[in-house]
């Protein structure tokens, strides 16, 4: 559906799932989508897992040549909450030392749980200057209405991230992290 419209997105993949479905990720990479790290096992939320460093580093090792050069990383959250516990000081240490780029979000319309996610997403996009929209490529999530959403969205779709959603860029902390630390 993205290719049919000439669009490129980013896929943040869970390391364990990548072991089973690597061919899909390879295809996405070959078609110009950016591939990022979304932890090894998706602890919810990452910053309270106690194994953050391993989660980040083991998933990056799984990505190998698929990894974006900026070492894109999205922490696993709990239902999309940008809340304390999303990161931890150990996770931040690992991300800065490893020169990762931490990509957060500003719109999570709930595609995995609510068939009305399209209307929610359109409202979220209309309400802000630059939306970083998180959708889920898992069973029962965005696929059923993705094409309809793409037809209805009244905004330019770009692959880059709004700077406000990137608090760590190639290892440098560029935005306050306090809101995500407990
Ligand atoms: Zn997730």
């Amino acid at each position: 559906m993205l290719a049919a419209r000439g669009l490129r997105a980013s896929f943040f993949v869970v390391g364990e799932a990548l072991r089973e479905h690597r061919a899909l990720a390879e295809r996405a990479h070959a078609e110009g989508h950016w591939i990022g790290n979304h932890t090894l096992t998706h602890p919810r939320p990452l910053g309270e897992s106690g194994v953050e460093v391993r989660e980040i580093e083991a998933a990056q090792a799984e990505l190998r040549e698929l990894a974006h050069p900026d070492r894109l990383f999205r922490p696993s959250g709990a239902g999309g909450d940008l809340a304390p516990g999303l990161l931890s000081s150990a996770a931040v240490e690992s991300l800065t030392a490893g020169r990762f780029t931490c990509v957060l979000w500003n719109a999570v319309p709930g595609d995995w749980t609510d068939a009305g996610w399209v209307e929610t997403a359109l409202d979220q996009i209309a309400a802000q200057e630059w939306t970083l929209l998180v959708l889920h490529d898992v069973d029962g999530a965005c696929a059923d209405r993705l094409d309809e959403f793409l037809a209805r969205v009244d905004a330019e779709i770009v692959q880059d991230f709004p700077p406000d959603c990137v608090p760590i860029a190639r290892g440098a902390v560029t935005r306050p992290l306090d809101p995500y630390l407990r």
Side-chain angles (χ1 to χ4, degrees), residues 43-60:
R44 297 166 59 88
L46 172 71
E48 295 180 357
S49 71
V51 290
E52 299 91 332
V53 175
R54 181 185 140 64
E55 284 284 337
I56 295 167
E57 292 180 353
Q60 195 67 22

Side-chain angles (χ1 to χ4, degrees), residues 48-116:
E48 295 180 357
S49 71
V51 290
E52 299 91 332
V53 175
R54 181 185 140 64
E55 284 284 337
I56 295 167
E57 292 180 353
Q60 195 67 22
E62 291 285 339
L63 287 173
R64 304 199 301 268
E65 77 283 0
L66 300 180
H68 187 283
D70 289 347
R71 295 166 68 81
L72 306 178
F73 172 79
R74 182 161 85 87
S76 50
D81 291 344
L82 287 167
L86 185 64
L87 293 172
S88 64
S89 47
V92 171
E93 276 294 310
S94 180
L95 294 171
T96 54
R99 303 188 60 77
F100 282 90
T101 296
C102 180
V103 182
L104 301 179
W105 54 86
N106 57 22
V108 179
D111 57 330
W112 73 96
T113 181
D114 178 11

